[in-house]
Amino acid sequence: MHKYTNENFNLVGFSSLITAVTLLFIYGINLFLKKIGLDIQVPFNILGILLIGGTIYFSVLFFLAEKLILRIPLLSKIYKVPNLNGSWEIKGNGKNNKTEKVNNWSGKLEIEQTLERISVRLTTTTSTSTSKSLTAALRFDEGCYILKYDYDNSPNNSAPKDMNKHSGSCEIRFTKDLLEGIANYTNIMTDRETYGTMKLTKVV
């Protein structure tokens, strides 16, 4: 997976919130220890040393928060971070820019995502090529999420002779329920520039 940008998610603000929660958590532990008669301070004690101080608290809380945001629809909506993890069936329609030849194809899109990283992998049904994302950006616009990414496409041995390794870009506009999407893509090759559209349907 690689890092991606999210125009609507403030990672710095989110980290600050987790930091505040971490300090409150440590303060709560200190109060509890004092209440039961242990006049020691976390993380400046044996327990703190074992947990490597507040850094561990922050890491654990950030990890839990990251999992919760992507899995709880309400939190995902508040922070505008959609859970795109999963597989998508694709129906594609491509056109050669030079010959204007139309090609209908199908495939599968797989997305793996966290708050900070994402991976988009597309494999055609005929298994002639596989594309993998290199960079990506996510934004929320007009009530839906839009994912734009650049990719490298690598043909396998069964691919047509005129299909070479190439790069391209794709923009996917997801429906509000994140179950479908419409995409536009462009393959950039010196001798075979193609473009087209894709219809995505999530595999539930």
Side-chain angles (χ1 to χ4, degrees), residues 157-172:
N157 295 331
S158 62
K161 293 183 179 181
D162 64 340
M163 180 181 288
N164 301 314
K165 183 176 180 179
H166 59 274
S167 61
S169 63
C170 179
E171 182 173 285
I172 307 173

Side-chain angles (χ1 to χ4, degrees), residues 67-130:
K67 298 299 181 182
L68 288 174
I69 286 178
L70 289 175
R71 285 167 173 74
I72 299 178
L74 180 59
L75 292 178
S76 178
K77 185 176 181 180
I78 291 175
Y79 286 100
K80 288 185 170 58
V81 183
N83 184 1
L84 302 177
N85 285 289
S87 298
W88 309 74
E89 291 182 349
I90 296 176
K91 298 294 182 182
N93 181 280
K95 188 175 183 179
N96 189 297
N97 206 24
K98 291 183 178 180
T99 65
E100 296 189 353
K101 180 181 178 181
V102 176
N103 176 40
N104 295 318
W105 55 277
S106 60
K108 181 173 69 173
L109 188 81
E110 295 178 290
I111 299 179
E112 187 178 356
Q113 175 201 13
T114 67
L115 276 183
E116 298 182 279
R117 295 181 177 273
I118 196 169
S119 173
V120 185
R121 177 187 174 95
L122 190 154
T123 306
T124 59
T125 301
T126 55
S127 297
T128 58
S129 67
T130 300

Side-chain angles (χ1 to χ4, degrees), residues 82 155 177:
D177 57 10

Side-chain angles (χ1 to χ4, degrees), residues 7-204:
E7 295 180 4
N8 301 100
F9 178 68
N10 188 341
L11 182 59
V12 175
F14 179 73
S15 298
S16 299
L17 175 62
I18 296 298
T19 300
V21 173
T22 300
L23 295 175
L24 288 174
F25 180 69
I26 294 175
Y27 179 71
I29 291 179
N30 287 331
L31 286 180
F32 174 75
L33 293 175
K34 189 174 183 179
K35 187 174 182 180
I36 63 176
L38 297 176
D39 192 14
I40 53 180
Q41 295 291 309
V42 175
F44 305 106
N45 53 42
I46 297 177
L47 178 61
I49 294 174
L50 291 175
L51 295 177
I52 320 178
T55 302
I56 291 297
Y57 298 122
F58 177 88
S59 299
V60 171
L61 288 174
F62 188 92
F63 174 79
L64 293 176
E66 180 179 54
K67 298 299 181 182
L68 288 174
I69 286 178
L70 289 175
R71 285 167 173 74
I72 299 178
L74 180 59
L75 292 178
S76 178
K77 185 176 181 180
I78 291 175
Y79 286 100
K80 288 185 170 58
V81 183
N83 184 1
L84 302 177
N85 285 289
S87 298
W88 309 74
E89 291 182 349
I90 296 176
K91 298 294 182 182
N93 181 280
K95 188 175 183 179
N96 189 297
N97 206 24
K98 291 183 178 180
T99 65
E100 296 189 353
K101 180 181 178 181
V102 176
N103 176 40
N104 295 318
W105 55 277
S106 60
K108 181 173 69 173
L109 188 81
E110 295 178 290
I111 299 179
E112 187 178 356
Q113 175 201 13
T114 67
L115 276 183
E116 298 182 279
R117 295 181 177 273
I118 196 169
S119 173
V120 185
R121 177 187 174 95
L122 190 154
T123 306
T124 59
T125 301
T126 55
S127 297
T128 58
S129 67
T130 300
S131 67
K132 298 179 181 178
S133 61
L134 301 173
T135 62
L138 182 68
R139 71 180 191 272
F140 185 77
D141 185 43
E142 297 181 355
C144 64
Y145 292 102
I146 299 173
L147 176 66
K148 184 175 183 178
Y149 66 94
D150 297 322
Y151 59 84
D152 270 347
N153 183 286
S154 300
N156 61 23
N157 295 331
S158 62
K161 293 183 179 181
D162 64 340
M163 180 181 288
N164 301 314
K165 183 176 180 179
H166 59 274
S167 61
S169 63
C170 179
E171 182 173 285
I172 307 173
R173 181 180 289 270
F174 295 94
T175 56
K176 292 182 179 181
D177 57 10
L178 300 178
L179 296 178
E180 293 183 330
I182 296 294
N184 294 300
Y185 70 90
T186 301
N187 291 319
I188 304 171
M189 293 176 280
T190 56
D191 59 341
R192 188 173 175 272
E193 184 172 317
T194 59
Y195 62 94
T197 60
M198 299 187 299
K199 182 178 181 181
L200 289 72
T201 303
K202 191 165 188 178
V203 179
V204 180

